[in-house]
Amino acid sequence: MSNVSGNAEEYLLDVRHLKKYFPVNRGIFTRDKVFVKAVDDVSFRIKPGETFGLVGESGCGKSTVGRSVLRLIEPTEGEIFFENEDIRKLDEKTLKERRRNFQIVFQDPFSSLNPRKTLRQIVSEPFMIQKICSQKEANERAADILAKVGFSRDSLDRYPHEFSGGQRQRICIARALALNPKLVICDESVSALDVSIQAQIINLLKKLQKEMGLAYLFISHDLRVIKHISDFVAIMYLGTLVEAAPTDELFRNPVHPYTRSLLSAIPITDPDIQHERIHISGDVPSPMNIPSGCRFHTRCFMAEERCKTEVPKYIEISPNHFCACNVCAGCGK
Amino acid sequence: MAETILKLKNLKIEFPDDDGYLEAVRDIEFTLNKGERLGIVGESGCGKSITCKAILRLLGEKTRVSGEILFKDQDVLKLSISDMYKIRGKEISMIFQEPMASLDPLFTVGDQLTETLMLHRNMSREEAWKEGIEMMKLVSIPQPEKRMKQYPFEFSGGMCQRIMIAIGLACHPEILIADEPTTALDVTIQAQILDLMKQLNKETGTAIILITHDLGVIAETVERVLVLYAGNIVEEADVHSLFHDAKHPYTIGLLASIPKIEKDVEELDSIPGTVPSLKKMPAGCRFAPRCPYKKEICEKEVPCMVQAGGSRVRCWKYSERWEET
């Protein structure tokens, strides 16, 4: 695969041929094991300080990618290099130590904070887990990081239920940033928020990225948010990447039929702009029963006979623009 | 002049609380014309869903609803329960956000589709079944004969929402209320459902009230928009005026908060602060604490709706008294 060859040194995260299969029990009497291929051969790289947007519809495996990268779930196959070190080969103890460099912010700020702990306890916990400093110093550092995301000192002893959704998401961000990580995975981190609050959080994430030199793996289904925040975007469909390119290139010059129909489906906030919609028929097939050949051929408006049998290769069609399709311009034979 | 089929006057909804009642919405006034597509937009908790539930009297008994809801000149709030049954599903029907949760998992889709037809249109089972298949075709479900006999779990989210729309439209209602119909769906499916609703509105003449928090969906689907904030209508305008010449500071802020696909911006304009809670509503204009233009009058007196350009807005900035202050 061309995007994973070459020199890896300039990359913070280098994921190669990542696979995650979940076994499914089909009943106690059946012998044959069935797998949900949630992630099936995904490769991508993230540079330090960059925002990598991962988009796809529900069930396409984007969250599984995020969690596998952190080894919150064990990948089935593949290599995950973080600063040139394969984190799949690390033992428990080293992994725990390394984890200070990569953190995650989840979607639902209501279920990801412990209701029995105060803000101060929540944000100072990472320091204690990593045994970085004394409780007293941890409290100080927690106050500093909370100030960065907009909390005054007098709110430190309050509990999560006293805060709104947007404020809670700020707390989650503060906790993720406490240990000065290099990579933060944002898994639908702004999707549960109202638009006016969403804009506040997006601005905050961008500001912190500049200040702290963070890289984000930004997972979302909202293409408008992805376009706004990302430097590089990858589109995922049924467990594989179908197209990836720098943001401007991808939105200006989408090649894959799935990307094209996805982009054309985004509602535009101007009633006077008429845009052509490329309709794709039907629904996403079940990941237990992935279509043969190109996974998208059952819904594709460009599909040819050979798409039913030939698996398209994920290739670099122009510098830094990757695509997996049998027929579209640039990819076809 | 278009015919008005629904008119809300001075609607106020209150919920019981530990000590007394909490006012969730107040002074809601709007009209809906025959065959019109009206959008109601606002953030969570602004009262858009309960306003529409009040129209069908779906709020619990403990809720206090006052004002008038005139459907074809009769006040829905004064109707008996049995008269309400004749309106729900027949004259006004509603579809909800969670299509999967709106269908009964123990009955086939066909049963649920024909139930409304047999109840409201006095059809026999056979007639209703035939009509059901026609309805399935109307909402573009392939193989309707086979699909009628299947259960909801055999359908995807988008398909379930199509079924809900088919049930909603089965009795040719005057009004279809759609409460966040595409929020739980993926964008490609959302586009299909919105196009379907627009097409059916043109073909059947059913008026649509579309409730959503997504201004993009509003821009693509409706003709006229109401913007709600903290239980009040703050702006009412046709869709073109709203997106090109919004007047209320909240609407302007909301429009600036959305990342746009057609335009690049470095930083999004966000509205500072959060929506006030029902228990601590500001005395004057409810948006005043977050408003960049606020003056003394905004914090003291409740603004009325005034005409400004193509919109009607609830804002002191456009009233005659603004200059004096």
Side-chain angles (χ1 to χ4, degrees):
Chain A
M1 217 164 280
S2 47
N3 76 319
V4 291
S5 60
N7 130 38
E9 271 159 44
E10 51 180 314
Y11 293 98
L12 179 70
L13 181 76
D14 187 349
V15 176
R16 300 181 186 182
H17 308 288
L18 181 72
K19 290 182 187 173
K20 177 66 197 175
Y21 296 170
F22 293 103
V24 189
N25 281 330
R26 294 204 106 174
I28 37 175
F29 298 116
T30 42
R31 279 283 176 87
D32 52 327
K33 272 217 163 163
V34 180
F35 290 96
V36 171
K37 296 182 177 177
V39 178
D40 205 1
D41 203 351
V42 164
S43 307
F44 62 91
R45 297 183 294 197
I46 304 178
K47 289 181 194 157
E50 179 188 66
T51 304
F52 184 93
L54 187 59
V55 208
E57 296 183 282
S58 43
C60 72
K62 52 193 192 304
S63 287
T64 310
V65 169
R67 278 160 211 220
S68 305
V69 164
L70 292 183
R71 272 183 71 190
L72 290 177
I73 47 180
E74 282 300 330
T76 312
E77 240 177 76
E79 294 157 307
I80 302 159
F81 288 98
F82 187 84
E83 297 191 309
N84 296 326
E85 182 180 40
D86 189 351
I87 60 164
R88 278 201 68 204
K89 297 205 173 90
L90 299 180
D91 58 62
E92 283 287 315
K93 198 168 152 254
T94 347
L95 178 67
K96 190 177 149 190
E97 231 175 81
R98 296 287 187 276
R99 279 220 170 115
R100 73 174 66 169
N101 288 322
F102 35 90
Q103 296 284 328
I104 184 163
V105 178
F106 294 100
Q107 172 169 4
D108 182 6
F110 289 85
S111 59
S112 48
L113 294 171
N114 186 339
R116 287 160 182 266
K117 286 191 170 168
T118 64
L119 242 64
R120 187 200 305 275
Q121 286 169 326
I122 289 169
V123 182
S124 63
E125 205 177 10
F127 296 103
M128 305 319 293
I129 292 174
Q130 294 282 350
K131 300 195 182 73
I132 289 179
C133 53
S134 68
Q135 177 74 55
K136 201 169 156 237
E137 204 193 325
N139 284 344
E140 272 311 301
R141 290 206 196 176
D144 287 345
I145 192 88
L146 279 166
K148 253 191 193 165
V149 298
F151 286 96
S152 60
R153 278 189 174 254
D154 50 349
S155 50
L156 287 182
D157 290 311
R158 289 162 71 185
Y159 289 88
H161 75 262
E162 296 173 66
F163 297 96
S164 66
Q167 286 171 315
R168 286 182 199 216
Q169 202 57 293
R170 285 169 196 269
I171 302 171
C172 294
I173 292 170
R175 178 176 58 184
L177 299 186
L179 298 173
N180 238 328
K182 289 174 181 150
L183 173 72
V184 177
I185 294 176
C186 300
D187 189 358
E188 300 272 10
S189 302
V190 298
S191 309
L193 308 172
D194 276 321
V195 274
S196 71
I197 309 298
Q198 177 174 305
Q200 292 174 7
I201 300 292
I202 292 173
N203 286 341
L204 175 72
L205 285 170
K206 280 191 126 181
K207 181 188 121 204
L208 293 168
Q209 179 170 42
K210 271 196 200 129
E211 285 173 16
M212 305 173 66
L214 301 166
Y216 291 129
L217 169 56
F218 200 91
I219 300 170
S220 179
H221 69 280
D222 189 333
L223 285 140
R224 287 176 288 193
V225 172
I226 286 282
K227 174 167 188 265
H228 180 76
I229 203 163
S230 311
D231 302 308
F232 199 92
V233 178
I235 311 270
M236 206 166 165
Y237 183 77
L238 263 188
T240 54
L241 297 184
V242 294
E243 187 166 2
T247 310
D248 283 343
E249 164 76 8
L250 188 94
F251 281 84
R252 208 170 295 149
N253 189 17
V255 187
H256 197 282
Y258 178 62
T259 316
R260 285 170 55 196
S261 53
L262 203 59
L263 295 187
S264 79
I266 312 170
I268 291 182
T269 43
D270 185 341
D272 296 330
I273 294 182
Q274 291 292 324
H275 62 127
E276 279 287 301
R277 241 182 217 163
I278 305 171
H279 275 291
I280 49 175
S281 52
D283 292 294
V284 186
S286 147
M288 267 168 74
N289 204 350
I290 289 174
S292 62
C294 172
R295 291 160 189 238
F296 186 56
H297 85 258
T298 52
R299 302 172 76 197
C300 184
F301 58 93
M302 283 164 68
E304 293 175 3
E305 201 48 43
R306 63 194 166 104
C307 297
K308 289 180 186 166
T309 48
E310 268 177 56
V311 179
K313 286 203 181 80
Y314 186 66
I315 51 166
E316 190 165 4
I317 53 164
S318 59
N320 231 357
H321 191 151
F322 303 90
C323 183
C325 180
N326 286 326
V327 283
C328 67
C331 302
K333 287 174 196 163
Chain B
M1 188 69 195
E3 191 189 334
T4 301
I5 46 169
L6 183 72
K7 189 171 184 145
L8 269 68
K9 277 189 193 164
N10 211 357
L11 182 78
K12 180 161 139 183
I13 303 173
E14 292 165 297
F15 289 111
D17 183 43
D18 302 342
D19 30 67
Y21 278 85
L22 280 179
E23 192 183 85
V25 302
R26 74 172 178 198
D27 296 338
I28 298 280
E29 302 206 323
F30 68 87
T31 56
L32 177 73
N33 294 329
K34 211 173 164 61
E36 191 184 20
R37 296 191 304 273
L38 175 76
I40 303 183
V41 69
E43 297 181 278
S44 39
C46 71
K48 49 193 192 305
S49 289
I50 54 163
T51 302
C52 288
K53 282 188 182 158
I55 297 172
L56 280 174
R57 297 218 350 232
L58 292 175
L59 298 168
E61 277 177 17
K62 285 180 183 155
T63 320
R64 275 210 304 233
V65 183
S66 58
E68 282 176 50
I69 298 172
L70 299 170
F71 173 66
K72 290 181 170 169
D73 298 321
Q74 55 179 343
D75 192 348
V76 169
L77 294 177
K78 295 201 178 84
L79 291 180
S80 67
I81 296 293
S82 56
D83 284 338
M84 252 349 268
Y85 281 139
K86 288 179 195 148
I87 287 186
R88 288 188 197 131
K90 188 180 182 197
E91 310 249 27
I92 308 176
S93 54
M94 185 157 180
I95 54 176
F96 300 90
Q97 176 171 348
E98 270 299 331
M100 295 293 208
S102 311
L103 291 167
D104 191 325
L106 299 179
F107 291 89
T108 63
V109 162
D111 285 337
Q112 300 182 56
L113 241 173
T114 49
E115 188 188 358
T116 2
L117 291 167
M118 293 192 292
L119 182 72
H120 289 305
R121 286 171 67 185
N122 296 322
M123 286 184 171
S124 71
R125 219 184 142 66
E126 289 72 36
E127 283 171 337
W129 198 265
K130 264 189 207 145
E131 179 70 18
I133 290 172
E134 288 306 309
M135 293 308 295
M136 296 270 258
K137 282 185 191 153
L138 189 68
V139 294
S140 330
I141 287 177
Q143 298 173 289
E145 288 85 2
K146 183 181 149 210
R147 288 298 211 166
M148 284 285 274
K149 291 180 199 140
Q150 292 182 331
Y151 289 88
F153 77 88
E154 294 170 87
F155 288 72
S156 66
M159 285 291 206
C160 280
Q161 200 59 291
R162 283 168 194 270
I163 302 284
M164 286 311 295
I165 294 175
I167 296 175
L169 293 177
C171 299
H172 310 304
E174 291 284 350
I175 307 171
L176 177 71
I177 302 173
D179 188 355
E180 303 264 12
T182 58
T183 309
L185 307 174
D186 286 317
V187 273
T188 52
I189 312 293
Q190 166 170 295
Q192 293 172 8
I193 297 286
L194 293 178
D195 284 351
L196 174 72
M197 284 176 62
K198 251 164 97 171
Q199 176 210 334
L200 293 176
N201 162 265
K202 282 181 192 140
E203 282 171 12
T204 63
T206 296
I208 291 177
I209 302 180
L210 178 72
I211 306 172
T212 178
H213 67 280
D214 188 332
L215 283 158
V217 169
I218 289 281
E220 297 219 333
T221 321
V222 305
E223 297 156 320
R224 200 155 56 88
V225 191
L226 304 173
V227 183
L228 258 66
Y229 181 78
N232 275 150
I233 294 176
V234 293
E235 181 155 2
E236 178 185 347
D238 71 274
V239 72
H240 301 280
S241 313
L242 192 90
F243 284 91
H244 292 298
D245 190 21
K247 295 294 182 194
H248 198 283
Y250 175 65
T251 318
I252 296 169
L254 206 57
L255 284 168
S257 313
I258 331 168
K260 310 219 171 27
I261 217 77
E262 62 276 14
K263 214 168 37 203
D264 286 318
V265 281
E266 184 46 36
E267 193 177 345
L268 294 171
D269 291 324
S270 59
I271 308 173
T274 47
V275 183
S277 92
L278 290 180
K279 285 183 181 168
K280 286 184 216 151
M281 272 301 163
C285 170
R286 293 179 167 187
F287 187 60
R290 302 173 77 187
C291 183
Y293 306 104
K294 73 159 178 243
K295 285 189 183 178
E296 215 184 321
I297 188 174
C298 305
E299 285 170 331
K300 284 187 180 146
E301 289 180 56
V302 178
C304 301
M305 290 294 267
V306 288
Q307 192 72 35
S311 307
R312 275 164 48 76
V313 279
R314 190 182 293 280
C315 180
W316 282 117
K317 198 167 158 241
Y318 301 97
S319 79
E320 289 154 9
R321 290 171 63 192
W322 185 250
E323 296 306 326
E324 308 161 18
T325 52

